[in-house]
Amino acid sequence: MTVRCTLQGDVEVIALDNPPLNSLGLDTRRELVAALEQAQADPDVAAIVLTGSGRAFSAGADLHEFGSPRAGQEPGLAGVIGTMERASKPVVAALHGLALGGGLELAMGCHYRIVAPGTRVALPEVKLGLLPGAGGTQRLPRAIGVGPALDLMVRGEQVAAEALVGIPEQKLFDQLARGADTVLDEAVALARSASRRHAAGAPLPRLRDLPCGHPQGDAYFQSARDAVRAANRNFPAPLQCVDAVESATREPFDVGLAHERERFVDLMRTPQSLALRHAFMAERSARKIPDVAPDTAQRTIAKVAVIGAGTMGGGIAMNFLNAGIPVVMLESSQQALDRGLATLRRNYEAQVGKGKLEPTRYAQRMALLTPTLGYADVADADLVIEAVFEDLGVKEQVFRQLDAVMKPGAILASNTSTLDLNTIAAFTRRPQDVVGMHFFSPANVMKLLEVVRGGGTGRDVLATVMAVGGRIGKICVVSGVCDGFIGNRMIEQYTRQAGFLIDEGCTPDQVDKAIEAFGFAMGPFRMGDLAGNDIGWAIRKRRAIEKPGVRFSKTADLLCAMGRFGQKTGAGWYDYAPGKRDAVPSRLVLDMIERHRAELGLTPRPIDDEEIVQRLVYALVNEAARILDEKIASRPSDIDMVYLAGYGFPLHRGGPLHYADGVGLSNVAKAMERFAQNPHDDAGFWQPAPLLRRLLAGHATFASLND
Ligand code: T1G
């Protein structure tokens, strides 16, 4: 049972009881209708209160049902709401915690609504590529006005109920309860008085009966359309919200409701909604480690140490300070420590200057920071994160020191991005406490955290690091140990293809523009100039020793040999005017590329944007399939999460593997066969990975491997 009924005197209290967040799946909808009908028929019941058990009134429609037959089975949520709205007895919603999407729509179908302070409400459907599909676009404008309603729908963000109570003449909330602990009792009292008013002949108030309009009419909606279109180029749902709200001002309620339903069904089928819903589920799946029980005991993390106060170390420290966790930051010299502190202060002061951080919060965070030069000061930390120079010898020194001083049970994490975590763990006598925490620069901004699981990493260590990663606002994805883990290993193949495209006839600008039109925030060459082309240079030099068979285009090395490391040297693949970041195609670089082609004996050929995008994206797909085959990643959606959260893969495409499923794996494989015929390309790389071959043979998709 997911709905519980109790009679309090002459008031029937119907409680949604579907943990964790009272989502409104088919069973709940059926039980709710049955409870409403029973209360309606019961002569001892004068009024009804609808409430939610646990921490939320309701988080809305059951996202796990989306796309399944259950989602479309009667009663639909709009039907449940209609049943409630047509009830002949007063129905009062008692809201606390969260009322989101269909949860808020359900409450709007009641006759009265009382809300506890601190309750947060939203119509977040646009974040799933949808619009409210159970009357929200028709009732909310009637309740709080067209402008506030449209703003809430198009942004999809949660707002405090108190903010909406403050809207003049709003009809969304009839009462602000004294507290979350009294909201139910107050709702019962409200229900009783409503039943008396109703018995005396007063009509039951229904939001659907209220007028709906906007004083500027067409002009308002036109400007709303222009603003929403400009802000949501890749997503159709927000614009649909504008249309639906406009129809609420023009059409009778039931007509507007029918149009809302049509729009909702259409949006459900869009690739954007499929991608957004996939990303929502992928983020939550990534928190689950197949062989680590969700109730695995975690170690307490009350104090963190960061070794290294450089760019990464400072950013890492900020994450924990921002979450209110004390940090001891250690450097090897006072000068380096002072430099690190100055950078950290500058970052915070910039946020204060932009009004993004209150000065008091800045001071609180700095008060949690203890700089030190001595390892003794880090010994009692529960988690220590090494973020020193990317050199195995330096890491060895640090980890031997940490092994000697850290208290038993401390977690020893390395931020390494290219070195073997198992080798690092072997520098200690406690490999079970060693784990990788691969942050992405800037570490206090980028959401992705690759949690690298060594051969000996303890399950409780993994569970603890995943939880603390969530506490500092990261999207954590577990990676096994391999060169480059998940993200960088795949980006290496993407970058190789970018170089080959240059050799074969493209310009850097053409490649960047093609993949940016696909949706990436920044193409590989603009990205190289931003991150520093010398980083890849160092990796290729190492690769040439470790894996001499891996061929790269020479153009990137030639570029670095010219000292063109990118924005930091004022020139890279592109030219940059002093102090500017605008990437200007460089004649010097184009001449270098042309000379290089001549040396290779390559006649440049025209390459269209489709081939550019396919070679870059399918390179990610094929390498991802190998990563899954090697069990470096647990599931395809984890890899999608890495690319969405860490590498700027366009959200409306859902990640490389979700995108490949949409293209059709047989089409991906056909393109790879073509690329394998290209004499300048890497035929071996373009052989479909074993997993891809198995999926093709079974006519299966990457999605079939997601849990
Ligand atoms: N349906 C099913 N499960 C849900 C759910 C939902 N709506 N919301 C959360 N969960 C699960 C989630 O998968 C996880 O389970 C657990 O609850 C904790 O969630 C008709 C059609 C509410 C802000 O978009 O934004 O109504 O994966 O880890 O970080 O117009 O969950 O661990 O097994 O995210 O504290 C509209 C979606 C639906 C809200 C809480 N509603 N949820 O965040 O916990 S569309 C939403 C959230 C709709 C109507 C339309 C967040 C949260 P598991 P969590 P959290």
Side-chain angles (χ1 to χ4, degrees):
M1 288 296 279
T2 61
V3 170
R4 274 184 305 103
C5 298
T6 46
L7 190 58
Q8 290 191 19
D10 57 355
V11 175
E12 183 79 358
V13 176
I14 299 175
L16 300 172
D17 189 13
N18 183 21
L21 292 160
N22 296 328
S23 56
L24 301 167
L26 179 59
D27 295 344
T28 304
R29 299 197 302 270
R30 282 176 172 157
E31 291 168 34
L32 188 48
V33 167
L36 287 165
E37 287 170 348
Q38 184 181 327
Q40 181 76 343
D42 184 340
D44 295 336
V45 173
I48 298 160
V49 167
L50 178 63
T51 183
S53 307
R55 68 177 172 118
F57 173 75
S58 170
D62 184 342
L63 294 177
H64 297 291
E65 261 186 12
F66 275 24
S68 75
R70 290 173 63 86
Q73 283 181 19
E74 294 300 325
L77 189 54
V80 174
I81 293 169
T83 300
M84 208 158 46
E85 200 170 48
R86 287 190 299 274
S88 59
K89 298 176 182 176
V91 182
V92 177
L95 302 179
H96 78 289
L98 292 168
L100 308 178
L104 181 59
E105 292 175 297
L106 185 66
M108 289 196 283
C110 297
H111 304 114
Y112 299 90
R113 283 156 296 280
I114 179 170
V115 64
T119 303
R120 298 184 67 77
V121 302
L123 288 178
E125 287 85 348
V126 289
K127 290 176 177 284
L128 300 169
L130 302 169
L131 87 171
T137 66
Q138 307 301 301
R139 288 188 179 90
L140 192 63
R142 287 173 166 80
I144 62 174
V146 165
L150 190 53
D151 181 57
L152 197 130
M153 273 176 239
V154 166
R155 287 189 304 115
E157 299 297 335
Q158 294 178 16
V159 295
E162 291 90 330
L164 300 180
V165 169
I167 295 176
E169 298 175 23
Q170 64 82 23
K171 296 286 186 294
L172 182 59
F173 297 119
D174 302 276
Q175 203 171 315
L176 183 60
R178 290 189 302 278
D181 55 341
T182 63
V183 65
L184 183 53
D185 293 342
E186 292 180 71
V188 170
L190 175 58
R192 277 208 183 93
S193 64
S195 67
R196 284 192 294 276
R197 282 199 304 277
H198 184 49
L204 287 174
R206 306 186 307 175
L207 290 177
R208 59 170 291 148
D209 298 330
L210 297 177
C212 183
H214 191 282
Q216 276 100 43
D218 291 353
Y220 168 79
F221 285 105
Q222 194 46 54
S223 64
R225 246 181 218 94
D226 295 344
V228 167
R229 187 181 291 113
N232 299 275
R233 291 199 183 289
N234 296 311
F235 296 97
L239 214 48
Q240 291 287 328
C241 289
V242 179
D243 294 344
V245 171
E246 183 173 34
S247 70
T249 65
R250 295 206 166 145
E251 299 163 338
F253 182 85
D254 288 321
V255 174
L257 205 59
H259 287 165
E260 174 194 88
R261 186 72 202 152
E262 289 163 15
R263 291 186 172 104
F264 179 81
V265 171
D266 290 346
L267 285 171
M268 278 285 281
R269 298 191 186 106
T270 59
Q272 291 91 339
S273 182
L274 291 168
L276 287 169
R277 286 160 24 213
H278 168 71
F280 179 90
M281 290 304 182
E283 183 176 338
R284 283 148 187 83
S285 293
R287 298 172 191 165
K288 296 165 187 155
I289 307 169
D291 65 334
V292 177
D295 60 355
T296 299
Q298 296 173 21
R299 299 184 192 180
T300 303
I301 304 295
K303 182 177 179 182
V304 170
V306 176
I307 312 298
T311 306
M312 288 308 285
I316 290 168
M318 289 177 72
N319 285 308
F320 292 94
L321 298 174
N322 296 350
I325 300 171
V327 174
V328 181
M329 191 156 74
L330 179 141
E331 253 296 355
S332 53
S333 73
Q334 192 59 51
Q335 186 194 12
L337 190 58
D338 293 345
R339 194 166 53 241
L341 284 171
T343 304
L344 199 143
R345 282 200 184 91
R346 253 198 324 276
N347 284 340
Y348 275 136
E349 282 156 6
Q351 290 176 27
V352 171
K354 291 174 194 162
K356 291 182 176 176
L357 180 65
E358 287 301 316
T360 49
R361 297 293 297 273
Y362 166 35
Q364 285 164 358
R365 290 173 183 179
M366 292 308 290
L368 291 172
L369 180 62
T370 306
T372 181
L373 297 174
Y375 270 89
D377 292 336
V378 304
D380 67 339
D382 306 298
L383 166 64
V384 57
I385 303 170
E386 165 272 313
V388 299
F389 184 62
E390 194 70 355
D391 171 88
L392 199 55
V394 178
K395 305 249 190 230
E396 179 173 0
Q397 281 178 350
V398 168
F399 273 85
R400 291 197 187 283
Q401 278 270 48
L402 292 175
D403 192 32
V405 305
M406 295 307 296
K407 69 181 182 184
I411 295 174
L412 315 184
S414 171
N415 174 55
T416 185
S417 55
T418 61
L419 300 174
D420 186 325
L421 185 83
N422 292 324
T423 305
I424 292 172
F427 296 144
T428 75
R429 291 156 298 175
R430 37 178 141 179
Q432 74 282 356
D433 297 337
V434 177
V435 66
M437 291 180 77
H438 178 214
F439 290 84
F440 287 75
S441 184
N444 57 306
V445 173
M446 293 301 287
K447 298 287 283 180
L448 179 62
L449 174 63
E450 280 182 325
V451 176
V452 184
R453 179 176 190 171
T457 302
R459 286 183 170 80
D460 64 329
V461 168
L462 280 172
T464 304
V465 169
M466 293 293 279
V468 81
R471 270 172 74 188
I472 62 174
K474 299 301 180 189
I475 292 173
C476 302
V477 178
V478 173
S479 170
V481 176
C482 70
D483 192 342
F485 310 135
I486 297 172
N488 285 346
R489 172 169 161 181
M490 287 166 62
I491 203 77
E492 183 169 298
Q493 295 304 337
Y494 171 94
T495 309
R496 285 183 75 214
Q497 286 302 314
F500 295 153
L501 285 162
I502 295 292
D503 291 347
E504 295 167 39
C506 293
T507 64
D509 195 42
Q510 183 191 358
V511 172
D512 282 349
K513 284 201 168 78
I515 200 69
E516 287 160 13
F518 174 78
F520 272 80
M522 200 177 274
F525 298 105
R526 256 184 271 280
M527 177 57 84
D529 278 359
L530 177 68
N533 298 308
D534 49 329
I535 293 172
W537 198 19
I539 290 173
R540 288 191 300 278
K541 286 176 184 170
R542 182 164 59 82
R543 183 75 74 248
I545 297 163
E546 290 169 358
K547 288 187 186 173
V550 179
R551 181 169 57 86
F552 291 84
S553 162
K554 282 272 173 286
T555 46
D557 296 348
L558 293 169
L559 187 81
C560 289
M562 296 157 73
R564 295 177 70 99
F565 294 161
Q567 292 186 22
K568 62 184 173 184
T569 56
W573 291 103
Y574 297 90
D575 291 333
Y576 298 87
K580 297 280 186 196
R581 303 168 74 92
D582 306 307
V584 178
S586 162
R587 184 68 255 159
L588 203 63
V589 170
L590 295 177
D591 291 345
M592 175 270 281
I593 291 169
E594 283 161 16
R595 282 197 304 278
H596 179 60
R597 285 175 189 149
E599 286 158 14
L600 290 176
L602 272 180
T603 305
R605 66 182 176 89
I607 299 174
D608 61 22
D609 287 4
E610 184 185 39
E611 180 179 344
I612 292 172
V613 170
Q614 286 182 347
R615 283 175 65 177
L616 294 177
V617 175
Y618 296 173
L620 297 176
V621 172
N622 207 27
E623 194 61 25
R626 293 193 175 97
I627 286 171
L628 286 163
D629 255 333
E630 297 165 26
K631 308 251 182 291
I632 295 292
S634 307
R635 52 182 82 85
S637 63
D638 279 8
I639 295 178
D640 284 335
M641 215 61 241
V642 164
Y643 262 75
L644 290 170
Y647 290 81
F649 198 92
L651 180 58
H652 68 281
R653 307 274 191 187
L657 301 183
H658 174 83
Y659 173 72
D661 279 349
V663 167
L665 298 188
S666 58
N667 294 323
V668 172
K670 287 193 188 86
M672 290 164 62
E673 280 166 27
R674 286 199 306 279
F675 304 150
Q677 308 305 320
N678 174 348
H680 183 68
D681 205 330
D682 179 345
F685 170 73
W686 284 119
Q687 299 311 309
L691 170 64
L692 193 49
R693 281 204 290 272
R694 290 199 300 275
L695 291 176
L696 286 163
H699 304 291
T701 59
F702 283 110
S704 65
L705 304 175
N706 288 330
D707 35 80

